[in-house]
PDB file of all heavy atoms in Angstrom:
ATOM      1  N   MET A 192     -11.982   7.533  15.956  1.00 96.00           N
ATOM      2  CA  MET A 192     -12.113   8.803  16.666  1.00 96.00           C
ATOM      3  C   MET A 192     -11.436   8.755  18.042  1.00 96.00           C
ATOM      4  O   MET A 192     -10.754   9.687  18.445  1.00 96.00           O
ATOM      5  CB  MET A 192     -13.608   9.171  16.848  1.00 96.00           C
ATOM      6  CG  MET A 192     -14.391   9.331  15.565  1.00 96.00           C
ATOM      7  SD  MET A 192     -13.668  10.524  14.401  1.00 96.00           S
ATOM      8  CE  MET A 192     -14.132  12.053  15.172  1.00 96.00           C
ATOM      9  N   ALA A 193     -11.595   7.621  18.710  1.00 96.00           N
ATOM     10  CA  ALA A 193     -10.971   7.456  20.034  1.00 96.00           C
ATOM     11  C   ALA A 193      -9.442   7.499  19.908  1.00 96.00           C
ATOM     12  O   ALA A 193      -8.752   8.117  20.725  1.00 96.00           O
ATOM     13  CB  ALA A 193     -11.423   6.141  20.662  1.00 96.00           C
ATOM     14  N   ALA A 194      -8.919   6.858  18.845  1.00 97.00           N
ATOM     15  CA  ALA A 194      -7.459   6.852  18.642  1.00 97.00           C
ATOM     16  C   ALA A 194      -6.938   8.253  18.353  1.00 97.00           C
ATOM     17  O   ALA A 194      -5.860   8.641  18.836  1.00 97.00           O
ATOM     18  CB  ALA A 194      -7.095   5.903  17.479  1.00 97.00           C
ATOM     19  N   ILE A 195      -7.683   9.026  17.570  1.00 97.00           N
ATOM     20  CA  ILE A 195      -7.244  10.418  17.277  1.00 97.00           C
ATOM     21  C   ILE A 195      -7.244  11.225  18.563  1.00 97.00           C
ATOM     22  O   ILE A 195      -6.291  11.993  18.820  1.00 97.00           O
ATOM     23  CB  ILE A 195      -8.174  11.082  16.232  1.00 97.00           C
ATOM     24  CG1 ILE A 195      -8.096  10.347  14.874  1.00 97.00           C
ATOM     25  CG2 ILE A 195      -7.785  12.555  16.027  1.00 97.00           C
ATOM     26  CD1 ILE A 195      -9.183  10.759  13.894  1.00 97.00           C
ATOM     27  N   ARG A 196      -8.262  11.060  19.394  1.00 96.00           N
ATOM     28  CA  ARG A 196      -8.298  11.811  20.660  1.00 96.00           C
ATOM     29  C   ARG A 196      -7.137  11.402  21.562  1.00 96.00           C
ATOM     30  O   ARG A 196      -6.569  12.236  22.253  1.00 96.00           O
ATOM     31  CB  ARG A 196      -9.632  11.559  21.374  1.00 96.00           C
ATOM     32  CG  ARG A 196     -10.785  12.246  20.681  1.00 96.00           C
ATOM     33  CD  ARG A 196     -12.050  12.364  21.560  1.00 96.00           C
ATOM     34  NE  ARG A 196     -13.114  12.900  20.772  1.00 96.00           N
ATOM     35  CZ  ARG A 196     -13.989  12.152  20.066  1.00 96.00           C
ATOM     36  NH1 ARG A 196     -13.913  10.839  20.107  1.00 96.00           N
ATOM     37  NH2 ARG A 196     -14.947  12.725  19.372  1.00 96.00           N
ATOM     38  N   LYS A 197      -6.787  10.133  21.537  1.00 97.00           N
ATOM     39  CA  LYS A 197      -5.745   9.646  22.426  1.00 97.00           C
ATOM     40  C   LYS A 197      -4.322   9.974  21.897  1.00 97.00           C
ATOM     41  O   LYS A 197      -3.471  10.415  22.660  1.00 97.00           O
ATOM     42  CB  LYS A 197      -5.877   8.126  22.576  1.00 97.00           C
ATOM     43  CG  LYS A 197      -4.922   7.545  23.603  1.00 97.00           C
ATOM     44  CD  LYS A 197      -5.263   6.100  23.919  1.00 97.00           C
ATOM     45  CE  LYS A 197      -4.279   5.523  24.910  1.00 97.00           C
ATOM     46  NZ  LYS A 197      -4.475   4.070  25.106  1.00 97.00           N
ATOM     47  N   TYR A 198      -4.104   9.772  20.585  1.00 97.00           N
ATOM     48  CA  TYR A 198      -2.750   9.901  20.042  1.00 97.00           C
ATOM     49  C   TYR A 198      -2.526  11.127  19.171  1.00 97.00           C
ATOM     50  O   TYR A 198      -1.418  11.375  18.726  1.00 97.00           O
ATOM     51  CB  TYR A 198      -2.395   8.646  19.223  1.00 97.00           C
ATOM     52  CG  TYR A 198      -2.519   7.348  19.967  1.00 97.00           C
ATOM     53  CD1 TYR A 198      -3.563   6.469  19.697  1.00 97.00           C
ATOM     54  CD2 TYR A 198      -1.597   6.987  20.953  1.00 97.00           C
ATOM     55  CE1 TYR A 198      -3.695   5.261  20.385  1.00 97.00           C
ATOM     56  CE2 TYR A 198      -1.715   5.794  21.631  1.00 97.00           C
ATOM     57  CZ  TYR A 198      -2.766   4.931  21.361  1.00 97.00           C
ATOM     58  OH  TYR A 198      -2.894   3.755  22.035  1.00 97.00           O
ATOM     59  N   GLY A 199      -3.611  11.865  18.876  1.00 96.00           N
ATOM     60  CA  GLY A 199      -3.471  13.011  17.968  1.00 96.00           C
ATOM     61  C   GLY A 199      -3.521  12.584  16.508  1.00 96.00           C
ATOM     62  O   GLY A 199      -3.796  11.423  16.214  1.00 96.00           O
ATOM     63  N   MET A 200      -3.221  13.518  15.625  1.00 97.00           N
ATOM     64  CA  MET A 200      -3.310  13.244  14.189  1.00 97.00           C
ATOM     65  C   MET A 200      -1.980  12.750  13.645  1.00 97.00           C
ATOM     66  O   MET A 200      -0.912  13.124  14.136  1.00 97.00           O
ATOM     67  CB  MET A 200      -3.690  14.521  13.450  1.00 97.00           C
ATOM     68  CG  MET A 200      -5.142  14.882  13.572  1.00 97.00           C
ATOM     69  SD  MET A 200      -5.500  16.280  12.510  1.00 97.00           S
ATOM     70  CE  MET A 200      -6.228  17.394  13.672  1.00 97.00           C
ATOM     71  N   THR A 201      -2.053  11.925  12.613  1.00 97.00           N
ATOM     72  CA  THR A 201      -0.850  11.464  11.892  1.00 97.00           C
ATOM     73  C   THR A 201      -0.685  12.347  10.648  1.00 97.00           C
ATOM     74  O   THR A 201      -1.570  13.113  10.285  1.00 97.00           O
ATOM     75  CB  THR A 201      -1.040  10.019  11.407  1.00 97.00           C
ATOM     76  OG1 THR A 201      -2.056  10.027  10.386  1.00 97.00           O
ATOM     77  CG2 THR A 201      -1.469   9.087  12.512  1.00 97.00           C
ATOM     78  N   PRO A 202       0.449  12.219   9.948  1.00 97.00           N
ATOM     79  CA  PRO A 202       0.625  12.964   8.691  1.00 97.00           C
ATOM     80  C   PRO A 202      -0.396  12.593   7.613  1.00 97.00           C
ATOM     81  O   PRO A 202      -0.536  13.310   6.628  1.00 97.00           O
ATOM     82  CB  PRO A 202       2.029  12.598   8.239  1.00 97.00           C
ATOM     83  CG  PRO A 202       2.731  12.152   9.499  1.00 97.00           C
ATOM     84  CD  PRO A 202       1.683  11.533  10.341  1.00 97.00           C
ATOM     85  N   ILE A 203      -1.103  11.447   7.766  1.00 98.00           N
ATOM     86  CA  ILE A 203      -2.060  11.089   6.719  1.00 98.00           C
ATOM     87  C   ILE A 203      -3.482  11.527   7.070  1.00 98.00           C
ATOM     88  O   ILE A 203      -4.431  11.241   6.318  1.00 98.00           O
ATOM     89  CB  ILE A 203      -2.026   9.579   6.379  1.00 98.00           C
ATOM     90  CG1 ILE A 203      -2.544   8.724   7.533  1.00 98.00           C
ATOM     91  CG2 ILE A 203      -0.661   9.143   5.921  1.00 98.00           C
ATOM     92  CD1 ILE A 203      -3.111   7.370   7.091  1.00 98.00           C
TER      93      ILE A 203
END
Side-chain angles (χ1 to χ4, degrees):
M192 300 305 285
I195 296 168
R196 288 196 186 92
K197 186 170 179 186
Y198 303 107
M200 284 186 234
T201 68
I203 68 154

